[in-house]
Amino acid sequence: MYEQVSHSLLNAILDDLKPEIRRQDLRHFYTRLGANFYAIYSLFFNLYGHREDFQQQMLNLVETMAKGYINRSSVLERVDIEREQDHNWFLSQKWVGMALYTNGFAENLDDLADKSPYFQELGVNMVHIMPILMCPTGKSDGGYAISDFRQIDDRIGDLNDLRRVAEEFRKRDILLVLDIVLNHTSEEHEWAKKALMGERQYQDYYFMFDNREIPDMFEQSMPEIFPESSPGNFTWNEDMQKWVMTVFHDYQWDLNYSNPNVFIEMLDIILFWANQGVDVLRLDAVAFLWKKIGSACQNERNAHLILQLMKDCCQVTAPGVLFIAEAIVAPVEIIKYFGEDAIIAKECEIAYNATLMALLWNGIATKNAKLLYQGVKNLPVKLERATWLNYVRCHDDIGFGFDDNDVRAVEYEPFAHRKFLVDYFSGQFEGSPARGMVFMHNDTTGDARISGSLASLVGLEAGLESGDQALISDAINKILLLHSLILSFGGIPLLYNGDALGVLNDYSYRDDPSKCNDNRWIHRPKINWERAELRKKQGTVEYTLFNALKKMIAIRKETSSFADFNNRELLDVNNEHLLCYIRFNHLRPSERVMVVANFDANPQYLDLEFISSKGINIYAHFIDLYSGRSPAQYDRRIVLQAYQFYWLTEI
Ligand code: OTU
C-alpha cells in the first residue's frame, strides 16, 4: 500500500543505508519492502513510535532485513520465488511431519543426516529437529534455555553438520523445521551476562526490578507455568540485587519486547536461521511475548503485533519461510495466532492444534467422543492460507486445555472432569491401563498436566508387562485410531519420535540429576535402533504399528480431500462413541471421504439412515481406503469394532 508519511520515511531510510548495503542488487528485496513497508512501519510505530530514537530504530530494522537478504543464497532465493508462485504449497495433503530430539533419534546431526532414509521409509517429509543451540548443561530445559542463538551445541554438531542435514533434506524433498525461542534466554546468554555486569543497555533487554513492588503487582494476575520446580514468575538475583522476570524456569530470563533492540536482535536471529536453509520456524511460547500488569501476560494484543511484524519483515527477506505458532492456549486464543486479517493468515501460517490434541486424549479416557465432537464443532474457522499442526504427542506434557463451556455442554463438571483425566492417565483411576505421570500439580489451583509416551498412556506398557494380549491389541488400535484422525483432520500431521515404533516410557531420567525434576523426560526417548529393526519382522508390535502408519501416510498423500482448504464437515451421527466427519475435495466437492472413528471398547454402529440428510447415499457401496475393503454392514448400519476407524469412499 502506498501511504505518504511512511514512504517519505522509507526514502529517507534508503538514503541513509550503509554504503555496502546500497551497492548490492536488491531488486527483489525492494519490491517486497515497498509492498510491506506501510504495514511494517505501522506496526513498528504502534509498538515503538513513542521513542525518541524511533527513526534510527526503523533504519536499524531495514538494515537488518537488507543484510539478511544479502546473505541469502541463490538456491534459497529460488525456493522463495517458487513458493511465492505456488503460495498454497503447504496446505497440500502431501506433508507429514515428525518431531524429534537430535540425540534421541540419532547420535548427532551428522548421524541424523545418515538416518534420513528412515523418514522416507515411513513417508515423513517435514522434520522438526528440537532445539540444538548452546545451552548450559543441567539448566537447559531440554534446549529451550539458550545461551547462544547462533551456535549449535557442540555435543550435537556444528553449522556445517546442520547445512549437511538441510542439503540432505532438500535432496529428499523433506522440510526442515527448527525452533526459535523468542520469549527468553538462558541466564548464561551474553546479554544476561552483560546485564549481570551492570550494563544498563542489556538490563533493558529483560525485566528487572529493585524490589517486590512491581513483581507483586504482576504476580496478582500471572499464572505459574512450572509451579513445582519453579514457583512464581520472578527470581532474585543476588549479584545484581534485582528481581528478574522468569516465567518458565528460574534460569530462563524473559526478554522485554517493549525494547526495539530486542525485537531487532531476534529478527536478525530468525533471518540467520532462515538463511541456513530452514524451511519452517517453530516460534516457541509465542503467547508469552508481551507482559502487562493486571493481565495473565499471555495472548496480549501486542504479542500479536510483534508476531505480525516479524512475519512482515521475514516476508521481505525470506518469503518462502513459514512460521509455526506454538501457543498452547485456549481454543479461541490459538486461532488468533494466524493473524487478524479478514481472510489471509498474516502472523503464523501454522499453529499447534493443542485443542484437538487434548480432545483426542479425552476421548481415550472416556471411551466417548461427545466432548471431541463438541470441541471440534466449536473450533473457530481458520483464515485462508493457515493450517493446523495436528498431533497426538510431543516433547511436552498434555494439558487438558479445552473450553469449559464445551465441557459443561456435554455434562461434565470441568474441575472434577479434569481431575478424572489426570487420575486416568496417571493410572490411579480404577481399571485404567495408562502409565503416565502427573506433571506440575499446582496446590493452589488443583491443576495438573500429564507426562508419558503415547504407547504407555494407551496401555501398551501395562499390556506387555502382564502379557495381556487383549490389552496389547487395544493399545495398538488406539495408537492407530488417534493417528487416523490427525492424518485426516485437515492440516499437517506431526508424529512424535518413537510413536511409530510404540516406544514406551523411559524411566532413566530419574537417575540424571539434571532431569529428575522434570518428568517430561519420560517421553523424550532415545531410539534403540536394534529394536527398531523389529519393524521389519512380522508379528511384532513394531511391525504392526510401523507398517500400519506407513500405509496410512501413503494413503493420506494420495487423497486430495485431505488437503486443508476448510473442507471438513463434522457430522452428528447420533452415537456419542463415534467421531465422524466428511472431508471433500475443495475443487470437486463430490469427491469425498467419510472418516469415522470408534472410541469405545465395544463395537458400535454408524447409522447410515440417520446421516442420509447429509447427502450420504445410504445405498452406496462404501470402500475403506485404509483396508481396501468394504466395511461390515448390517441393516444400513456400518459396524466398527472397538477402537476401529474407517476412511470411507462411496463407489
Ligand atoms: C514450550 O512449552 C516448550 O515446548 C517447552 O519445552 C519449554 O519448556 C517452554 O516452552 C519454555 O521454553 O510455552 O506456549 O510444559 O507446554 O510451557 C506453550 C508447558 C509453552 C509447555 C509450555 C510450552
Tab-separated table of all heavy atoms in Angstrom, residues 101 141 144 181 184 225-226 248-249 252 282 284-288 326-329 395-397 439 449 520 524, ligand 1:
chain	number	residue	atom	x	y	z
A	101	TYR	N	14.167	-35.075	19.056
A	101	TYR	CA	15.425	-34.534	19.550
A	101	TYR	C	16.555	-35.211	18.784
A	101	TYR	O	16.546	-36.441	18.637
A	101	TYR	CB	15.606	-34.836	21.041
A	101	TYR	CG	15.000	-33.784	21.939
A	101	TYR	CD1	13.865	-34.036	22.699
A	101	TYR	CD2	15.584	-32.524	22.033
A	101	TYR	CE1	13.321	-33.055	23.521
A	101	TYR	CE2	15.045	-31.538	22.849
A	101	TYR	CZ	13.919	-31.814	23.592
A	101	TYR	OH	13.401	-30.846	24.391
A	141	ASP	N	16.471	-26.841	30.104
A	141	ASP	CA	15.055	-27.021	29.776
A	141	ASP	C	14.909	-27.735	28.424
A	141	ASP	O	14.132	-27.313	27.560
A	141	ASP	CB	14.314	-25.665	29.768
A	141	ASP	CG	12.801	-25.856	29.589
A	141	ASP	OD1	12.287	-26.946	29.899
A	141	ASP	OD2	12.137	-24.903	29.122
A	144	TYR	N	15.526	-25.384	25.570
A	144	TYR	CA	14.764	-24.134	25.495
A	144	TYR	C	15.326	-23.027	26.402
A	144	TYR	O	14.652	-22.031	26.650
A	144	TYR	CB	13.278	-24.397	25.767
A	144	TYR	CG	12.623	-25.126	24.611
A	144	TYR	CD1	12.526	-26.519	24.594
A	144	TYR	CD2	12.154	-24.433	23.505
A	144	TYR	CE1	11.957	-27.194	23.518
A	144	TYR	CE2	11.583	-25.099	22.423
A	144	TYR	CZ	11.487	-26.475	22.437
A	144	TYR	OH	10.931	-27.131	21.368
A	181	VAL	N	13.501	-19.711	19.987
A	181	VAL	CA	12.978	-19.490	21.335
A	181	VAL	C	12.965	-17.986	21.573
A	181	VAL	O	13.969	-17.375	21.925
A	181	VAL	CB	13.808	-20.244	22.393
A	181	VAL	CG1	13.195	-20.075	23.776
A	181	VAL	CG2	13.875	-21.717	22.029
A	184	HIS	N	12.567	-16.001	25.813
A	184	HIS	CA	13.534	-15.888	26.901
A	184	HIS	C	14.910	-16.369	26.466
A	184	HIS	O	15.044	-17.052	25.454
A	184	HIS	CB	13.074	-16.695	28.122
A	184	HIS	CG	12.521	-18.045	27.744
A	184	HIS	ND1	11.173	-18.291	27.644
A	184	HIS	CD2	13.122	-19.211	27.400
A	184	HIS	CE1	10.972	-19.547	27.276
A	184	HIS	NE2	12.142	-20.132	27.114
A	225	ILE	N	3.772	-21.410	35.493
A	225	ILE	CA	3.931	-22.445	34.454
A	225	ILE	C	4.534	-23.725	35.041
A	225	ILE	O	4.092	-24.822	34.740
A	225	ILE	CB	4.820	-21.941	33.299
A	225	ILE	CG1	4.297	-20.606	32.766
A	225	ILE	CG2	4.895	-22.986	32.180
A	225	ILE	CD1	2.884	-20.629	32.220
A	226	PHE	N	5.548	-23.553	35.853
A	226	PHE	CA	6.176	-24.731	36.468
A	226	PHE	C	6.109	-24.594	37.994
A	226	PHE	O	7.136	-24.413	38.659
A	226	PHE	CB	7.643	-24.858	36.014
A	226	PHE	CG	7.814	-25.104	34.525
A	226	PHE	CD1	8.778	-24.416	33.796
A	226	PHE	CD2	7.050	-26.048	33.859
A	226	PHE	CE1	8.967	-24.644	32.428
A	226	PHE	CE2	7.220	-26.277	32.491
A	226	PHE	CZ	8.176	-25.580	31.775
A	248	PHE	N	9.223	-19.100	33.065
A	248	PHE	CA	9.417	-20.553	32.993
A	248	PHE	C	10.341	-20.976	34.144
A	248	PHE	O	10.009	-20.752	35.288
A	248	PHE	CB	9.889	-20.948	31.587
A	248	PHE	CG	8.799	-20.728	30.565
A	248	PHE	CD1	8.671	-19.517	29.894
A	248	PHE	CD2	7.861	-21.712	30.312
A	248	PHE	CE1	7.633	-19.302	28.988
A	248	PHE	CE2	6.816	-21.507	29.410
A	248	PHE	CZ	6.711	-20.300	28.751
A	249	HIS	N	11.525	-21.511	33.859
A	249	HIS	CA	12.413	-21.870	34.973
A	249	HIS	C	13.149	-20.635	35.484
A	249	HIS	O	13.250	-19.628	34.782
A	249	HIS	CB	13.426	-22.916	34.514
A	249	HIS	CG	12.806	-24.242	34.206
A	249	HIS	ND1	12.505	-24.619	32.919
A	249	HIS	CD2	12.405	-25.252	35.012
A	249	HIS	CE1	11.940	-25.822	32.941
A	249	HIS	NE2	11.870	-26.229	34.194
A	252	GLN	N	15.619	-19.121	33.127
A	252	GLN	CA	15.172	-18.602	31.810
A	252	GLN	C	14.643	-17.184	32.002
A	252	GLN	O	13.572	-16.995	32.585
A	252	GLN	CB	14.076	-19.510	31.227
A	252	GLN	CG	14.627	-20.824	30.691
A	252	GLN	CD	13.556	-21.885	30.483
A	252	GLN	OE1	12.800	-22.213	31.393
A	252	GLN	NE2	13.491	-22.448	29.280
A	282	ARG	N	9.668	-22.841	14.107
A	282	ARG	CA	8.693	-23.027	15.183
A	282	ARG	C	8.967	-21.965	16.239
A	282	ARG	O	10.026	-21.947	16.865
A	282	ARG	CB	8.837	-24.418	15.790
A	282	ARG	CG	7.992	-24.641	17.067
A	282	ARG	CD	8.489	-25.873	17.792
A	282	ARG	NE	7.720	-26.254	18.967
A	282	ARG	CZ	7.958	-25.797	20.200
A	282	ARG	NH1	8.877	-24.885	20.428
A	282	ARG	NH2	7.251	-26.256	21.216
A	284	ASP	N	8.615	-20.596	19.608
A	284	ASP	CA	8.282	-21.177	20.912
A	284	ASP	C	7.542	-20.172	21.796
A	284	ASP	O	7.877	-18.990	21.840
A	284	ASP	CB	9.600	-21.590	21.592
A	284	ASP	CG	9.383	-22.254	22.933
A	284	ASP	OD1	8.690	-23.286	22.967
A	284	ASP	OD2	9.901	-21.735	23.944
A	285	ALA	N	6.573	-20.672	22.509
A	285	ALA	CA	5.900	-19.936	23.588
A	285	ALA	C	5.468	-18.522	23.175
A	285	ALA	O	5.619	-17.563	23.920
A	285	ALA	CB	6.813	-19.872	24.810
A	286	VAL	N	4.883	-18.401	21.983
A	286	VAL	CA	4.542	-17.072	21.464
A	286	VAL	C	3.481	-16.339	22.284
A	286	VAL	O	3.409	-15.112	22.255
A	286	VAL	CB	4.077	-17.120	19.989
A	286	VAL	CG1	5.241	-17.378	19.076
A	286	VAL	CG2	2.984	-18.161	19.790
A	287	ALA	N	2.691	-17.097	23.021
A	287	ALA	CA	1.623	-16.430	23.791
A	287	ALA	C	2.186	-15.498	24.858
A	287	ALA	O	1.507	-14.601	25.345
A	287	ALA	CB	0.728	-17.485	24.434
A	288	PHE	N	3.450	-15.729	25.198
A	288	PHE	CA	4.032	-15.038	26.355
A	288	PHE	C	4.796	-13.760	26.007
A	288	PHE	O	5.403	-13.148	26.874
A	288	PHE	CB	4.995	-15.992	27.080
A	288	PHE	CG	4.314	-17.184	27.701
A	288	PHE	CD1	3.974	-18.289	26.929
A	288	PHE	CD2	4.004	-17.199	29.060
A	288	PHE	CE1	3.340	-19.391	27.505
A	288	PHE	CE2	3.380	-18.301	29.632
A	288	PHE	CZ	3.041	-19.394	28.854
A	326	GLU	N	3.648	-21.797	18.399
A	326	GLU	CA	3.458	-22.743	19.496
A	326	GLU	C	2.781	-21.969	20.615
A	326	GLU	O	3.419	-21.313	21.421
A	326	GLU	CB	4.791	-23.333	19.948
A	326	GLU	CG	4.601	-24.537	20.847
A	326	GLU	CD	4.953	-24.315	22.302
A	326	GLU	OE1	5.431	-23.229	22.668
A	326	GLU	OE2	4.752	-25.229	23.118
A	327	ALA	N	1.469	-21.997	20.596
A	327	ALA	CA	0.687	-21.299	21.615
A	327	ALA	C	-0.286	-22.317	22.185
A	327	ALA	O	-1.293	-22.640	21.560
A	327	ALA	CB	-0.070	-20.134	20.997
A	328	ILE	N	0.077	-22.849	23.334
A	328	ILE	CA	-0.752	-23.907	23.916
A	328	ILE	C	-1.734	-23.206	24.853
A	328	ILE	O	-1.537	-23.155	26.066
A	328	ILE	CB	0.127	-24.952	24.652
A	328	ILE	CG1	1.315	-25.376	23.774
A	328	ILE	CG2	-0.696	-26.159	25.086
A	328	ILE	CD1	0.967	-25.946	22.415
A	329	VAL	N	-2.742	-22.604	24.254
A	329	VAL	CA	-3.674	-21.757	24.997
A	329	VAL	C	-5.116	-22.123	24.618
A	329	VAL	O	-5.336	-23.037	23.830
A	329	VAL	CB	-3.374	-20.255	24.725
A	329	VAL	CG1	-2.030	-19.860	25.309
A	329	VAL	CG2	-3.395	-19.946	23.225
A	395	HIS	N	7.025	-33.378	22.761
A	395	HIS	CA	8.016	-33.490	23.842
A	395	HIS	C	7.520	-32.877	25.149
A	395	HIS	O	8.167	-32.995	26.177
A	395	HIS	CB	9.317	-32.807	23.405
A	395	HIS	CG	9.172	-31.314	23.362
A	395	HIS	ND1	8.339	-30.681	22.467
A	395	HIS	CD2	9.713	-30.345	24.129
A	395	HIS	CE1	8.383	-29.377	22.684
A	395	HIS	NE2	9.214	-29.152	23.681
A	396	ASP	N	6.361	-32.190	25.103
A	396	ASP	CA	5.826	-31.556	26.303
A	396	ASP	C	4.746	-32.422	26.949
A	396	ASP	O	4.348	-33.443	26.408
A	396	ASP	CB	5.261	-30.175	25.954
A	396	ASP	CG	6.365	-29.122	25.867
A	396	ASP	OD1	7.406	-29.279	26.543
A	396	ASP	OD2	6.192	-28.151	25.111
A	397	ASP	N	4.274	-31.911	28.071
A	397	ASP	CA	3.190	-32.566	28.798
A	397	ASP	C	1.861	-32.377	28.049
A	397	ASP	O	1.757	-31.555	27.146
A	397	ASP	CB	3.097	-31.910	30.178
A	397	ASP	CG	3.123	-30.386	30.042
A	397	ASP	OD1	4.207	-29.841	29.803
A	397	ASP	OD2	2.040	-29.758	30.108
A	439	PHE	N	2.253	-34.148	36.019
A	439	PHE	CA	3.266	-33.105	35.787
A	439	PHE	C	2.754	-31.786	36.363
A	439	PHE	O	1.645	-31.349	36.046
A	439	PHE	CB	3.520	-32.973	34.280
A	439	PHE	CG	4.541	-31.924	33.912
A	439	PHE	CD1	5.886	-32.082	34.233
A	439	PHE	CD2	4.161	-30.775	33.232
A	439	PHE	CE1	6.825	-31.124	33.883
A	439	PHE	CE2	5.094	-29.808	32.873
A	439	PHE	CZ	6.434	-29.986	33.205
A	449	ARG	N	-0.989	-31.508	34.832
A	449	ARG	CA	-0.877	-31.990	33.458
A	449	ARG	C	-0.302	-33.415	33.502
A	449	ARG	O	-0.051	-33.954	34.570
A	449	ARG	CB	0.062	-31.058	32.663
A	449	ARG	CG	-0.597	-29.727	32.258
A	449	ARG	CD	0.010	-28.489	32.912
A	449	ARG	NE	1.305	-28.127	32.371
A	449	ARG	CZ	2.064	-27.146	32.875
A	449	ARG	NH1	1.672	-26.454	33.936
A	449	ARG	NH2	3.229	-26.864	32.331
A	520	ARG	N	8.834	-34.703	32.122
A	520	ARG	CA	8.624	-34.732	30.666
A	520	ARG	C	9.698	-35.590	29.985
A	520	ARG	O	9.510	-36.050	28.854
A	520	ARG	CB	8.650	-33.311	30.085
A	520	ARG	CG	7.415	-32.493	30.439
A	520	ARG	CD	7.517	-31.079	29.902
A	520	ARG	NE	8.629	-30.344	30.499
A	520	ARG	CZ	9.002	-29.118	30.139
A	520	ARG	NH1	8.347	-28.487	29.192
A	520	ARG	NH2	10.004	-28.510	30.724
A	524	ARG	N	10.826	-38.516	26.281
A	524	ARG	CA	11.797	-37.995	25.298
A	524	ARG	C	12.831	-39.093	25.068
A	524	ARG	O	13.948	-39.039	25.597
A	524	ARG	CB	12.443	-36.718	25.840
A	524	ARG	CG	11.424	-35.590	26.012
A	524	ARG	CD	12.010	-34.373	26.683
A	524	ARG	NE	11.007	-33.317	26.793
A	524	ARG	CZ	11.215	-32.159	27.409
A	524	ARG	NH1	12.388	-31.906	27.981
A	524	ARG	NH2	10.273	-31.252	27.473
B	1	OTU	C1	7.434	-24.516	25.353
B	1	OTU	O1	6.374	-25.018	26.106
B	1	OTU	C2	8.365	-25.676	25.049
B	1	OTU	O2	7.735	-26.571	24.180
B	1	OTU	C3	8.780	-26.327	26.336
B	1	OTU	O3	9.528	-27.489	26.136
B	1	OTU	C4	9.546	-25.313	27.130
B	1	OTU	O4	9.808	-25.807	28.414
B	1	OTU	C5	8.769	-23.989	27.265
B	1	OTU	O5	8.162	-23.557	26.067
B	1	OTU	C6	9.726	-22.900	27.662
B	1	OTU	O6	10.611	-22.606	26.610
B	1	OTU	O7	5.263	-22.275	26.361
B	1	OTU	O8	3.190	-21.907	24.662
B	1	OTU	O9	5.007	-27.627	29.876
B	1	OTU	O10	3.519	-26.929	27.338
B	1	OTU	O11	5.387	-24.180	28.510
B	1	OTU	C7	3.341	-23.079	25.314
B	1	OTU	C8	4.449	-26.456	29.480
B	1	OTU	C9	4.664	-23.210	26.007
B	1	OTU	C10	4.576	-26.310	27.993
B	1	OTU	C11	4.548	-24.861	27.654
B	1	OTU	C12	5.029	-24.594	26.253
